[in-house]
Amino acid sequence: MVIEDRRDTRHWSGSAAIVGVGYRVSRETEKPPTPLRLILEACVDALRDAGVEREKVQALFATRAPVADQHPQFNVKIGTELGLTTRFSTEVTQHAAGTIASLKYAMLAVNSGIVDYALCCGGDTSNLWIQGTRRVGATAFHDSDPQFETPYGPSMIGIYAQHAIRYMHEYGATEEHFARVAVEHRRWAVAHPQAVMRSKGLITVKDVLASPMIAYPIRLFECSPRLPQGSAGALLVTRAEIAREICERPIYILGVGECSTNEYASDRLSLLGTRSFERPTYTESGLTLAATDAYDMAGLGPKDLDVVQCVSNFSSIFLTVIEDLGLCARGEAAAFVETGGIDFESGLPVNTNGGHLGFGHPGPSMNMDSLVEGVRQLQRRAVGKQVEGARVCLVHGTGAPLLGCNAVAILGTERPN
Amino acid sequence: MSATEFGGYRSGGFVEWDRRFVGLHDPPGDTTEFWDGIERGVLMIKRCGACGITLHPRRLVCRRCMSMELGWTQASGRGRLYSFSTILRPPHEEWADRVPYTIGMVELAEGPYLFSEILCDTTALSVGLELELEVVVAPHGRLAKFRPTR
């Protein structure tokens, strides 16, 4: 990939911080909540956590409308219920990647002089959107092209499986490598009280390879479960000067980047001729560009990361994710995983809530789950295994099939000099 | 039903299943030539009137020169398998009695990539497999599928 037009954005690094967090996970034992209710609970919690009255919150950045609700301009619906009089409000949607990208919008907003506080929020409930999917008769739902893909019966898994085939073809990775990714994620999940796969216990590579094939070469244990039945999060962001005054432990936004390249899988392979992609490919994505922007703003590189929360909705795509993030060289993710690169005890702490494979994937709010986990680790408020001495965490969110949309945030406990 | 009749666009909320999948949530006005081609048993793709490159039938702007003067051209119907997956658990009951079936991305001889179903014994599947078009009458209309070159 050609990376050009790199800019000096260092002055933004640490200019804003997260000063309040709210987070709700809905368990299957509860009556299923609506996504709106879940999001509102998270928002109220975030304002209480920060000790900031709602009158001060003038910016609202909501992630895309929940799949389970589909009401357009969901940001207005949220703001209305919260009783906000927003002066700067929008949905941030690069599909679900907007969850992470909203931190960038918040950072720019609170440093613009227009507002002091920005609330970033989003959530979804899987039980309701699965019902909706069945009604439509769609397959991969919003994520397959209604004319050129849906008629052939693709499942979301079948679309990601095509990446897996290419990854094996191009880099010689094996089904054992994919299985190992699932094994390590499960170990983090077992250590996390909110992870849905915790109760299923530890698994081995052999267990994964023995689980039923869903869409060759992806097996059941290599797919993220459509649980918990709902989750929502909210983060209150303000500029660094205010954050230092009102918050004991602000989490600074050190770097942010986003990149969207395609709506559907077919579109990804139409990128031929665009400058960054000299050849169409499934095994490299715009995440490379998003990560480069975030690292450049932060003045940091992959070696500086203490914790990483990234996309793992299927075990195979995880390999391209960690390559795009620069955690290992291109084509070497399988070897990286095989030699203990993401080992629960000794590797880089990646997806400390179990990731999408282990924590679950309650719809587009899976990126919010990653974001809240990253913030909790830095606040030393982890509810699972706390990574000792974690000072810098990278969070990656995606949306659209095969990493079509990506956003990256690098968060830290200290403001750069 | 002619290809141009299908899939009236209805905005907002969930749309009940229509007579066929194509057109769901999606105004088909820009792609009627493709679907009319399928009715005739041929594969129509886009060609840039300014620079001449061929493009996916969905494209409205040339990926090379940004021209919007895109016309239609008949493709050979030949291509190679870029990637594939065999579906064993169907995404919806509509496909329940069809598993296992294989979906894949076909690199057309003319350049563009087309998502399709690959009509093939699963043991014969491999990246690079030579393919040719086969128009199949499906429950909801004709579809462009591919099978190994005979």
Side-chain angles (χ1 to χ4, degrees), chain A residues 53-65:
Chain A
E53 309 93 55
R54 69 174 148 198
E55 286 68 26
K56 289 187 175 173
V57 180
Q58 309 98 335
L60 177 67
F61 299 111
T63 56
R64 56 172 283 179

Side-chain angles (χ1 to χ4, degrees), chain A residues 135-137 139 141 145-148 151-153 158 161-162 165-166 213-216 267 269-270 281-282, chain B residues 14 16-17 21-22 24 26 31 35 58-59 63 82-86 88-89 92 95 101 103 105 113 127 144:
Chain A
R135 276 183 61 205
V136 175
T139 50
F141 200 49
D145 184 316
Q147 288 190 41
F148 292 98
Y152 304 103
Q162 294 181 48
I165 290 287
R166 283 305 299 189
M213 190 69 82
I214 306 295
Y216 177 80
D267 298 340
L269 295 176
S270 290
T281 176
Y282 277 169
Chain B
F14 295 120
E16 291 295 336
W17 223 12
F21 286 107
V22 287
L24 193 71
D26 193 27
T31 53
W35 292 106
R58 184 175 277 297
R59 298 280 76 83
R63 284 295 160 97
Y82 175 78
S83 195
F84 61 90
S85 174
T86 300
L88 292 138
R89 183 168 297 189
H92 186 267
W95 282 276
Y101 59 93
I103 54 172
M105 195 66 82
Y113 292 76
V127 171

Side-chain angles (χ1 to χ4, degrees), chain A residues 66-315:
Chain A
V67 181
D69 188 310
Q70 297 284 305
H71 186 88
Q73 58 277 342
F74 211 76
N75 55 314
V76 177
K77 214 171 168 180
I78 294 166
T80 301
E81 276 305 324
L82 290 175
L84 303 181
T85 46
T86 53
R87 276 71 176 269
F88 199 156
S89 173
T90 190
E91 282 185 358
V92 181
T93 91
Q94 301 86 28
H95 285 242
T99 311
I100 310 299
S102 66
L103 290 179
K104 181 172 77 180
Y105 295 67
M107 181 189 76
L108 296 172
V110 299
N111 283 291
S112 68
I114 296 171
V115 299
D116 293 330
Y117 290 92
L119 185 62
C120 301
C121 60
D124 216 323
T125 57
S126 57
N127 60 318
L128 291 175
W129 73 255
I130 287 171
Q131 281 173 25
T133 306
R134 292 211 173 111
R135 276 183 61 205
V136 175
T139 50
F141 200 49
H142 289 305
D143 291 327
S144 63
D145 184 316
Q147 288 190 41
F148 292 98
E149 296 176 359
T150 305
Y152 304 103
S155 57
M156 201 62 193
I157 307 155
I159 291 174
Y160 275 86
Q162 294 181 48
H163 159 273
I165 290 287
R166 283 305 299 189
Y167 195 88
M168 293 165 88
H169 175 76
E170 291 176 24
Y171 299 125
T174 64
E175 294 172 37
E176 284 77 11
H177 290 127
F178 299 153
R180 178 72 181 272
V181 172
V183 167
E184 296 303 331
H185 278 78
R186 183 65 66 86
R187 295 172 83 187
W188 284 103
V190 167
H192 197 286
Q194 289 178 308
V196 297
M197 299 310 278
R198 174 187 172 93
S199 61
K200 306 286 184 185
L202 295 172
I203 49 173
T204 63
V205 167
K206 205 176 153 191
D207 294 332
V208 178
L209 295 177
S211 68
M213 190 69 82
I214 306 295
Y216 177 80
I218 295 182
R219 294 178 166 86
L220 181 64
F221 288 5
E222 296 170 320
C223 302
S224 49
R226 285 294 186 249
L227 293 168
Q229 68 175 1
S231 72
L235 301 103
L236 189 67
V237 174
T238 188
R239 59 182 167 273
E241 292 72 28
I242 301 175
R244 271 198 304 267
E245 284 173 24
I246 67 156
C247 184
E248 200 176 318
R249 198 175 282 163
I251 301 303
Y252 293 97
I253 302 168
L254 303 182
V256 280
E258 67 177 86
C259 181
S260 300
T261 55
N262 60 276
E263 179 73 358
Y264 304 121
S266 306
D267 298 340
R268 173 70 155 278
L269 295 176
S270 290
L271 288 171
L272 180 65
T274 55
R275 282 194 301 183
S276 295
F277 290 86
E278 291 164 316
R279 63 181 176 89
T281 176
Y282 277 169
T283 53
E284 186 170 11
S285 82
L287 173 55
T288 308
L289 299 175
T292 301
D293 284 354
Y295 288 131
D296 283 355
M297 186 184 289
L300 298 172
K303 299 275 180 234
D304 300 310
L305 306 175
D306 301 317
V307 193
V308 173
Q309 315 293 342
C310 66
V311 164
S312 63
N313 46 351
F314 299 101
S315 60

